Amino acid sequence: MTDAEKIRCSNDRDLFDALSRDPTIVRIKEHIARLEDDVPFRTRRRLLSTAVRLSPAMAPSLRSMADACIEKLGVSLPLELFVFPSPQHNAMCFRPEEGRLLVMFSSALLEDFEGSELVFVMGHELGHHVYAHHDIPIGSVLRGDEKPDPRLALSLFAWSRYAEISADRAGAYCADDRQAVARSLFKLASGLSGRTISFELDDFLSQVDQMQEEDADPSIRTPSEDWFSTHPFSPLRVKALELFHGSELVNSSGDSTAQLEMGVQKLMSLMEPSYLEAKTVAAESMRRLLFAGSLVVARADGEITQGEVGVFEKFFGKGAFKDTVDVGALEKDLDNRIERVREEAGVTQAMQVLQDLCIVARAEGHTMEPERLVLEAIATKLGLSAGFVTRTLEVDLGPD
Ligand SMILES: [Zn+2]
């Protein structure tokens, strides 16, 4: 087993394997492969015409960082580096074309990140390649014309977060510098260059702790919506990296790998649809809101279509939608169900249901204005911002 394989997050591997066998994923991958046969090397052509290729002579230190990451992670393909003009800190790795690996950085990131911070970002991007994350066409599945099973959509969401955890570990493994890795995440989170503000790791981590405490206390209604953003920063990623640094994968006297993965799973369980099965009062109130909410959203643009019934039943089980389901009555009861979630579940859980409602709406292939308005109204009544709906409906899901 390669070093990169050893440090890969086990939930990323398991979900990846399961998704790779999913018939919808297999079919969409075949479709994409046919398109690529028709128009090959699209990404590289686009990069050559819109970005600047950084030759080894132009960026010798970046090149040697890349070579060190390639060596540590066991990347076998030749690598081309690109920069594009942008004030945002951003980087991305593309699916290889013509046997070449393509990694692109924003200009701001290259100017503001230094040394091991940059190695972390480089290792993170190469990690996505080493773990073949681009083999799961998450963007095409969730944006395509075909309506995916909502459960599949939610699995993809959950997997994409574990995929980021693996990529972060690959980056941390390459950087081998806990402070620099945290500083890198701090720069991604704050947009700061580090030139005017000095970074304090302990203060940064205590902010994460505070968010977690407030989140556990339903009486504090500060919407910590950052919990739910996968990119460019989630406090969960910082926490997950701290667990990684404290494990035997980094230090032989650290926690066992099993303990590490359990800790990560506990962190991430805040963001997984486990409430569909859980037998707690909070989980039941969440299910009841999801049930009513998804039907009310589906009916927002007129009658509920056969397709929408199909999507709904994939979620709640066959036969869950009967003619006897009175959507009008559910709509009248919606405020009551929202109130129950506010009283019985935490802020994070409220966000979880709202996010799932958005994913279900998206999974129907398109989101119309009336549906969006219903979702925004639910958001407001849950005490969340309407912007949360917009972000979830529009988030670009490719690994970056
Ligand atoms: Zn990433």
Side-chain angles (χ1 to χ4, degrees):
M1 202 193 277
T2 63
D3 284 355
E5 246 343 286
K6 269 184 217 146
I7 58 173
R8 183 174 187 179
C9 177
S10 63
N11 271 319
D12 163 31
R13 187 187 297 114
D14 295 346
L15 287 167
F16 178 90
D17 289 346
L19 286 168
S20 301
R21 288 189 300 267
D22 183 278
T24 307
I25 303 278
V26 170
R27 190 157 26 84
I28 290 175
K29 278 178 72 171
E30 286 167 359
H31 179 67
I32 291 172
R34 278 196 299 276
L35 288 180
E36 280 174 357
D37 282 346
D38 294 345
V39 191
F41 321 137
R42 266 195 287 205
T43 304
R44 183 157 184 269
R45 275 190 210 169
R46 185 163 50 83
L47 289 183
L48 285 171
S49 63
T50 59
V52 174
R53 183 168 57 186
L54 295 170
S55 68
M58 286 161 89
S61 66
L62 192 66
R63 189 66 234 183
S64 58
M65 285 177 195
D67 289 340
C69 292
I70 284 172
E71 174 83 30
K72 281 189 106 165
L73 295 174
V75 175
S76 53
L77 293 180
L79 172 68
E80 279 188 347
L81 301 170
F82 290 85
V83 60
F84 68 103
S86 166
Q88 303 207 318
H89 295 151
N90 214 344
M92 58 214 76
C93 179
F94 299 95
R95 246 155 57 82
E97 287 181 350
E98 300 174 87
R100 281 195 192 86
L101 191 54
L102 312 166
V103 175
M104 180 161 79
F105 299 90
S106 71
S107 51
L109 191 140
L110 287 185
E111 296 204 312
D112 293 343
F113 285 48
E114 51 194 39
S116 303
E117 300 162 10
L118 208 45
V119 176
F120 169 71
V121 176
M122 180 86 73
H124 176 106
E125 296 307 326
L126 293 178
H128 280 309
H129 164 68
V130 167
Y131 301 130
H133 287 156
H134 297 97
D135 283 2
I136 305 284
I138 181 166
S140 305
V141 176
L142 293 176
R143 269 196 312 270
D145 302 330
E146 217 183 312
K147 299 174 183 180
D149 177 339
R151 273 182 195 271
L152 174 62
L154 291 181
S155 305
L156 283 166
F157 247 70
W159 166 72
S160 72
R161 288 187 288 254
Y162 283 114
E164 291 306 315
I165 298 289
S166 288
D168 278 349
R169 287 187 193 174
Y173 173 66
C174 291
D176 194 18
D177 181 340
R178 176 172 166 249
Q179 287 273 349
V181 166
R183 209 161 46 235
S184 194
L185 285 168
F186 169 77
K187 287 184 175 181
L188 288 168
S190 65
L192 290 167
S193 64
R195 284 188 289 273
T196 47
I197 305 290
S198 71
F199 171 67
E200 292 296 333
L201 176 59
D202 290 339
D203 292 353
F204 185 48
L205 287 172
S206 85
Q207 180 186 341
V208 178
D209 285 336
Q210 258 171 41
M211 288 185 61
Q212 215 171 16
E213 277 161 31
E214 295 191 1
D215 200 72
D217 181 352
S219 70
I220 302 173
R221 309 279 323 174
T222 41
S224 41
E225 293 175 8
D226 274 350
W227 281 107
F228 275 84
S229 62
T230 52
H231 186 83
F233 167 79
S234 156
L236 295 178
R237 286 171 58 189
V238 182
K239 277 288 190 191
L241 272 177
E242 281 296 298
L243 293 174
F244 174 64
H245 279 118
S247 78
E248 65 181 0
L249 294 176
V250 175
N251 182 337
S252 54
S253 62
D255 290 342
S256 71
T257 307
Q259 281 172 307
L260 163 70
E261 300 295 15
M262 265 166 59
V264 169
Q265 176 139 4
K266 192 160 165 252
L267 271 180
M268 306 295 276
S269 67
L270 282 169
M271 307 174 62
E272 284 174 53
S274 55
Y275 68 91
L276 290 175
E277 280 87 28
K279 290 185 173 58
T280 61
V281 176
E284 203 204 325
S285 69
M286 292 163 76
R287 278 197 299 271
R288 284 168 52 83
L289 176 55
L290 185 70
F291 186 90
S294 51
L295 287 174
V296 172
V297 171
R299 205 180 64 162
D301 55 348
E303 285 307 295
I304 297 179
T305 63
Q306 208 47 46
E308 283 165 337
V309 169
V311 168
F312 179 83
E313 292 207 324
K314 278 179 186 163
F315 215 69
F316 288 99
K318 204 138 188 67
F321 187 87
K322 304 186 188 73
D323 290 339
T324 51
V325 172
D326 182 347
V327 182
L330 285 175
E331 189 166 5
K332 286 203 192 78
D333 194 40
L334 195 61
D335 284 0
N336 174 37
R337 292 179 185 221
I338 290 170
E339 203 43 46
R340 290 277 303 281
V341 167
R342 289 196 65 151
E343 280 166 14
E344 286 156 8
V347 186
T348 307
Q349 275 118 20
M351 285 179 200
Q352 175 78 66
V353 183
L354 182 60
Q355 186 184 59
D356 291 349
L357 281 170
C358 293
I359 297 168
V360 174
R362 249 176 96 137
E364 286 164 8
H366 54 87
T367 325
M368 306 300 240
E369 196 54 26
E371 296 174 321
R372 179 187 286 259
L373 290 175
V374 173
L375 288 166
E376 287 181 357
I378 295 174
T380 308
K381 287 173 186 164
L382 282 170
L384 306 173
S385 72
F388 184 87
V389 171
T390 315
R391 284 197 297 281
T392 309
L393 290 176
E394 288 168 5
V395 66
D396 191 8
L397 287 159
D400 56 12

